[in-house]
Amino acid sequence: MIQTEDFKTIIDQYKVIFFDAFGVIKNYKGLVPGMDETFAYLKATQKEYYIVTNDASRSPLQLAASFKKLGLKMITPERIISSGMLAKEYLDLKVNDGIVAYLGTANSAHYIDNSGLHTLPVSAIDESNIDQVNALVFLDDEGFDWFRDLNKTVNILRRRNIPTIVANTDYAYPLNMHDVNIAIGGIASMIHQIVGKRFINFGKPDSLMFTFAYDQVRKTNPEITKKEILMIGDTLQTDILGGNKFGLDTMLVLSGNTLATDAETRITSTGIVPTYICEKAVIG
Amino acid sequence: MIQTEDFKTIIDQYKVIFFDAFGVIKNYKGLVPGMDETFAYLKATQKEYYIVTNDASRSPLQLAASFKKLGLKMITPERIISSGMLAKEYLDLKVNDGIVAYLGTANSAHYIDNSGLHTLPVSAIDESNIDQVNALVFLDDEGFDWFRDLNKTVNILRRRNIPTIVANTDYAYPLNMHDVNIAIGGIASMIHQIVGKRFINFGKPDSLMFTFAYDQVRKTNPEITKKEILMIGDTLQTDILGGNKFGLDTMLVLSGNTLATDAETRITSTGIVPTYICEKAVIG
Amino acid sequence: MIQTEDFKTIIDQYKVIFFDAFGVIKNYKGLVPGMDETFAYLKATQKEYYIVTNDASRSPLQLAASFKKLGLKMITPERIISSGMLAKEYLDLKVNDGIVAYLGTANSAHYIDNSGLHTLPVSAIDESNIDQVNALVFLDDEGFDWFRDLNKTVNILRRRNIPTIVANTDYAYPLNMHDVNIAIGGIASMIHQIVGKRFINFGKPDSLMFTFAYDQVRKTNPEITKKEILMIGDTLQTDILGGNKFGLDTMLVLSGNTLATDAETRITSTGIVPTYICEKAVIG
Amino acid sequence: MIQTEDFKTIIDQYKVIFFDAFGVIKNYKGLVPGMDETFAYLKATQKEYYIVTNDASRSPLQLAASFKKLGLKMITPERIISSGMLAKEYLDLKVNDGIVAYLGTANSAHYIDNSGLHTLPVSAIDESNIDQVNALVFLDDEGFDWFRDLNKTVNILRRRNIPTIVANTDYAYPLNMHDVNIAIGGIASMIHQIVGKRFINFGKPDSLMFTFAYDQVRKTNPEITKKEILMIGDTLQTDILGGNKFGLDTMLVLSGNTLATDAETRITSTGIVPTYICEKAVIG
């Protein structure tokens, strides 16, 4: 069992806290117990915080609503930075017209909509409109027929030389204590290998997620430095690696993907070393 | 356009010919025209031949029947070496009891059945029998529900530390002149990346396919050397690479995966050089 | 041969230009002819420009001096953003004490020096000081004995679980019209595979290079948007991929790594599509 | 600590034993104690045995001499199957004329010499003879200047589209209890990534090593089946994976690469499961 440190002592040293969502604030059983007190403490001590999540299946508005439903009322939409927001920014900047095809639910597609573009599920692409497809986005693992639509996606990408965006690069996500589901990042990786083209991956550990969050922080606090920000996450390969590389101090919590029993082995074998290790992101 | 050579002049120099099936003998439109004459010539000149195919979806008996239906009556089941046969041999040698779970049609599973083992589709595995699963085989991309059964496969492999066999390592196969379908090898590669365990890949370019075929040749002709065998295929990465590595002379034909317009670029960029290039495996 | 566009017409549409150095401004023969006029035009039209380079072997001061020596006097050190600067920032933020070991020339190490740290070449690490090594940086392919020091690097990384920084991720660089040399990025990739740990890669296409440059731009011009910046480079996998992902418009020039004869094939096979293609970054 | 089984009880069930050399019979300290008794027992019980090794730096004759020097007189050259022998067979079958360039000592090159070919170290290749180079072999990590000759190798492979053979695919080998050295397989992998071409890898886990050994067995014992052969090795990724795939029963010994403390973790995480685990290949 790995040695852990006291959560409160650590966060007292930082002005801004970035939280991963799944495995830190909530898990498949609901809210991590004690999380409301953590956020009450942040408010009382006037620390800034942001949720930095690879969840591209819902908009910040919907994500905030889901936290509220679990009992966490403080997390407002503007506190949430999701990889889906990066996908939207990319489309706004780089794709001027035509159709954006997507894999995911209608919900996940809703928030990448923008004025000039027409978003359509891959299932709605056929000979009549394929030549107008100017981008393709992997958003969510649900909302489509895997056999029919994954095969169609391969053939769209063979016909059209277009930017292809992977909004969530996770390969799998936990379903319950025992089982996982294949995530859209795993599917995107398979299709990438078949068509051989470079995809644009957003989501942690990529630095753009952290740049986006840091830009938000500086809008209200232009003087904050990276030294004053702590990234808290449950996954070495995304939260900790990405936070470290961006120059932040990092805290690994053991309430999600990484178990107390194998944290040490994983840190040694990957070489991804968090600044701190705590049992969970809970005070006291 | 790449320079090609005369097919007949070349095969006259060899005693045994190995043929890939798809892209050489047949394609999505049916038999490659003139193929019956090629096989008639082989018979007349008493050359041995074998079909060496990554098709694991059907037994040699069924494959021979499919050639017959297309008009090629000469290709008998004992002339066919498929990657599925290697999967079967592996199970015979290494798995003594329990359940062999598979992804594929009931047809594809039929011929991996053997005395001591019980083959069941992944869809039939549940809490009651998962602990008896002693091997898992990726056989064919059809015959199951992708969403439900691929997720189930991931979780079986997380629970059971068992040999996992990929009977066809192709990532995609042509459906018609424009489109391809994701093949079982592509799916296996995605699941391999998620569970992180080594899978056992059969099929060209792996040497075992060629060893198996060469052993067949030597049963009737113990004196045949590798120098007297020619491998004919349409794919650099499987047929030509595998044939070359096994020590055979190789012929690339342009009737399938590799087009006349890009053969040269592909040969240069991959460094996989066939001994000969012919338009198709047809005489005159 | 691929269709190219007029350089001047394009840059007139942008307020800020990012240039790659090698293959765009200079190559193994010296300055690309006409480059002084390009920079004179930028000055006359009051466009901002930055050199965004994966060269980590020299400091911005030394790089500016080398441009001056070639006849380009305008490029001052503060106009140069190199991947070595990111390595330095990382060390400043994340490594507080101990030794930083490096592979490269003494020159390349000089500018990563900072107050609290002691930089030493890998050759100077032995049993007496290995336990104080708190970071390792791959800086340059020259300045050390490959056999002795690469083997030593492997063993340092097996003993110490420390951040490992790759300041230049290029695998090779052109030496003359025919030949290339193995770059430090290729060496780092080999050692990564042997020790199995995650390294921290800076340099294009990574977004941090572009974030760093964009932050510089906004210091003097807070209102500049990504839409007003053009990235010019000769390499699809670094300059164009990285620029595209960051949300910039991009221009591929044919004066370096990518030849007019194979630009089209490479764009199609990689799926990395520049906004524009010009022969070179030269006016008229 | 993992549960081990009794060595003698296991080998009594087999007629033929394949041994890995390094980590099983000998290690950096010399012969594994008790090894002479193991071989005396094999002789007394008339079991066949072969040494199946990825060592391509010396000929079977030299390898047998090195065993003799260590005190093991029984292992005659014809009992040794090395990956270098596969490289030689490949050259005999597939390369008819010209120069075979190699990386390695003159010793390692000596035994790949054959009648029609001229072997030359990479250092001896220049403008006068580069166009006659028809194959390149990675043999050994010593015997050349890494900086000069690795760079030269890259440029030979960019100029000549020729078969490139990797005779030992190991990435590193143990030097003493603490340290390893980069092996020729690691170097070959780096150069493969730079030039982008397919190399021909011999050595375990590739099946050709086992095919070669099995063919030797059947020359004297045509009736031996795979069920009667046991592969003993210290490395999961080469000996055990390769043996399993070829259809042999396998034994992992803990006298080399795999330690008693992490054998279980490695077996679980790789999914490579040996049939048996023994402390060492020693009786009693």
Side-chain angles (χ1 to χ4, degrees), chain A:
Chain A
M1 285 294 171
I2 202 154
Q3 194 76 23
T4 59
E5 297 177 75
D6 179 59
F7 179 70
K8 187 174 162 300
T9 313
I10 294 164
I11 61 165
D12 279 349
Q13 304 166 41
Y14 296 89
K15 289 192 183 156
V16 180
I17 317 284
F18 290 172
F19 288 89
D20 178 33
F22 208 91
V24 177
I25 298 175
K26 61 177 179 173
N27 58 32
Y28 57 88
K29 283 187 287 192
L31 216 58
V32 169
M35 201 45 63
D36 43 351
E37 289 163 53
T38 297
F39 281 87
Y41 182 77
L42 295 176
K43 194 178 180 185
T45 55
Q46 290 184 293
K47 290 184 195 303
E48 291 263 4
Y49 56 87
Y50 285 90
I51 315 302
V52 181
T53 172
N54 278 359
D55 190 336
S57 69
R58 286 173 295 179
S59 69
L61 213 70
Q62 293 169 310
L63 287 167
S66 81
F67 284 125
K68 198 170 177 183
K69 214 170 150 187
L70 291 172
L72 257 191
K73 290 173 192 173
M74 290 174 56
I75 303 178
T76 47
E78 63 276 13
R79 295 280 175 188
I80 297 174
I81 314 290
S82 80
S83 53
M85 291 164 73
L86 296 181
K88 174 163 174 39
E89 191 197 49
Y90 179 89
L91 295 173
D92 286 347
L93 284 166
K94 295 283 294 179
V95 183
N96 300 316
D97 49 29
I99 294 168
V100 175
Y102 69 90
L103 283 169
T105 60
N107 244 348
S108 65
H110 188 59
Y111 79 103
I112 63 164
D113 275 347
N114 73 359
S115 43
L117 297 168
H118 192 47
T119 55
L120 277 183
V122 159
S123 59
I125 306 302
D126 56 30
E127 283 301 319
S128 75
N129 58 9
I130 188 168
D131 290 335
Q132 284 120 268
V133 177
N134 282 340
L136 192 143
V137 190
F138 289 88
L139 277 172
D140 195 7
D141 61 298
E142 303 210 10
F144 56 92
D145 178 306
W146 282 25
F147 179 79
R148 185 196 60 197
D149 292 341
L150 297 185
N151 278 312
K152 195 183 261 191
T153 300
V154 167
N155 289 303
I156 292 170
L157 295 178
R158 285 163 47 94
R159 288 272 285 278
R160 301 285 301 151
N161 201 17
I162 51 174
T164 305
I165 295 116
V166 184
N168 179 348
T169 49
D170 296 352
Y171 276 33
Y173 60 92
L175 201 63
N176 55 44
M177 204 166 65
H178 298 299
D179 295 334
V180 301
N181 252 16
I182 300 170
I184 190 71
I187 289 171
S189 167
M190 171 178 70
I191 291 180
H192 159 68
Q193 286 198 54
I194 292 169
V195 300
K197 300 188 180 183
R198 288 294 291 254
F199 289 179
I200 294 173
N201 296 303
F202 292 121
K204 296 167 286 179
D206 191 81
S207 304
L208 277 184
M209 280 290 279
F210 295 95
T211 299
F212 206 100
Y214 187 40
D215 276 355
Q216 287 303 108
V217 170
R218 290 189 293 179
K219 272 185 196 162
T220 49
N221 280 292
E223 301 308 313
I224 292 282
T225 68
K226 290 181 177 181
K227 281 268 189 197
E228 297 166 306
I229 305 175
L230 177 70
M231 171 73 210
I232 304 177
D234 70 320
T235 309
L236 291 170
Q237 277 81 2
T238 54
D239 308 310
I240 307 305
L241 177 65
N244 279 350
K245 180 175 176 182
F246 192 67
L248 308 182
D249 284 349
T250 51
M251 177 196 289
L252 179 73
V253 290
L254 306 173
S255 49
N257 266 331
T258 312
L259 304 175
T261 44
D262 60 1
E264 198 151 9
T265 310
R266 287 198 192 187
I267 288 168
T268 309
S269 69
T270 60
I272 305 170
V273 185
T275 320
Y276 315 101
I277 303 172
C278 288
E279 212 187 308
K280 42 190 178 171
V282 167
I283 286 171

Side-chain angles (χ1 to χ4, degrees), chain C residues 12 59 75 83 99 136-137 157 276:
Chain C
D12 279 349
S59 69
I75 302 179
S83 52
I99 295 167
L136 193 142
V137 190
L157 295 179
Y276 314 101

Side-chain angles (χ1 to χ4, degrees), chain C residues 159-252:
Chain C
R159 288 272 285 278
R160 302 284 301 151
N161 202 17
I162 52 175
T164 306
I165 295 116
V166 185
N168 178 348
T169 49
D170 295 352
Y171 277 33
Y173 60 91
L175 200 64
N176 54 46
M177 204 165 68
H178 298 300
D179 294 335
V180 301
N181 252 15
I182 300 171
I184 190 71
I187 289 170
S189 167
M190 171 178 70
I191 291 180
H192 159 68
Q193 286 198 51
I194 292 169
V195 299
K197 298 186 181 184
R198 288 297 289 253
F199 290 179
I200 294 173
N201 296 302
F202 292 122
K204 296 166 287 179
D206 191 81
S207 304
L208 277 183
M209 280 289 278
F210 295 95
T211 299
F212 206 100
Y214 187 40
D215 276 355
Q216 287 303 107
V217 171
R218 288 189 295 179
K219 273 183 196 163
T220 49
N221 280 292
E223 301 308 314
I224 291 283
T225 67
K226 291 182 176 181
K227 282 270 189 196
E228 296 166 305
I229 305 175
L230 177 70
M231 171 73 210
I232 304 178
D234 70 321
T235 309
L236 290 171
Q237 276 81 2
T238 55
D239 308 310
I240 306 304
L241 178 65
N244 279 350
K245 181 176 174 181
F246 193 67
L248 308 182
D249 283 349
T250 51
M251 177 197 288
L252 179 73

